[in-house]
Amino acid sequence: GVFTTADGVPAAAAGNPFASGLGNSVHGILHPNGYYIASSFGANTVGVLKIALSGAATTLTPVAGSPFASGGTYTSVLALNQDGTFLFAANAVTRNLTTFEVNTATGVLTSPSIQGPNALGAAGTVTGLAYLPPPLGGLVYVLNDQNAPIVGVTASTDMGTGFGTNLQNAVNGSGLSKFSLSATHAMN
């Protein structure tokens, strides 16, 4: 839903809640061109809603074709590249990423590229996602919550054009547990 606040007290915008076509949404991000993008783990989809007006008059309207199938299971966290032209969706249970092209004028998602199952590890659940833009990276970092100890770290910004470079068990040398980090080359 959409809310405004006055003195810290939320008040629903007129027309709230807005129909989204999504159920069980777990994560949402704002696109710089005025879209709210949300993942739906129950339906394994990503919804895109156009934000119009402002304040108490704010509205959300699904873009054409929304929601969009992710091709994975339990679509959870999302990240955009620096231009907002690519959307990365983590599929928590199948432990893979779906990369969508974003039409920045319409908000429509197209050309999904889907990693194979377990591309981000054979165990655990993907619970975090971040994009590091060039010149420092051009990488998507993925947090995989699992019960394996973490033993060392290595990272590269020159990972080629393929998906799936795995830095599993790679955060530091002190033996952290409960998660691993994977880096997947992203499209700039």
Side-chain angles (χ1 to χ4, degrees):
V2 176
F3 297 87
T4 60
T5 58
D7 297 321
V9 178
N16 210 24
F18 297 96
S20 68
L22 296 171
N24 300 319
S25 293
V26 293
H27 188 248
I29 58 175
L30 293 174
H31 187 278
N33 288 16
Y35 302 104
Y36 181 69
I37 304 173
S39 61
S40 174
F41 69 83
N44 304 314
T45 58
V46 175
V48 181
L49 301 121
K50 178 65 177 167
I51 303 168
L53 306 174
S54 64
T58 301
T59 61
L60 297 175
T61 306
V63 303
S66 182
F68 303 91
S70 70
T73 303
Y74 202 104
T75 306
S76 56
V77 291
L78 307 169
L80 287 164
N81 72 335
Q82 75 275 14
D83 299 325
T85 54
F86 290 100
L87 173 71
F88 308 101
N91 301 302
V93 173
T94 48
R95 292 171 295 280
N96 61 344
L97 292 178
T98 302
T99 302
F100 293 97
E101 291 182 38
V102 180
N103 181 319
T104 57
T106 65
V108 172
L109 305 181
T110 60
S111 304
S113 174
I114 307 165
Q115 290 180 313
N118 298 323
L120 302 173
T125 304
V126 177
T127 58
L129 187 64
Y131 175 79
L132 178 64
L136 300 175
L139 301 175
V140 173
Y141 289 92
V142 178
L143 184 65
N144 183 353
D145 180 9
Q146 59 182 287
N147 291 317
I150 296 177
V151 293
V153 67
T154 309
S156 171
T157 59
D158 183 16
M159 295 182 159
T161 58
F163 285 110
T165 302
N166 192 2
L167 300 178
Q168 189 171 3
N169 296 331
V171 170
N172 68 24
S174 64
L176 298 174
S177 63
K178 297 286 187 188
F179 66 94
S180 70
L181 180 70
S182 297
T184 299
H185 188 274
M187 298 168 198
N188 297 331

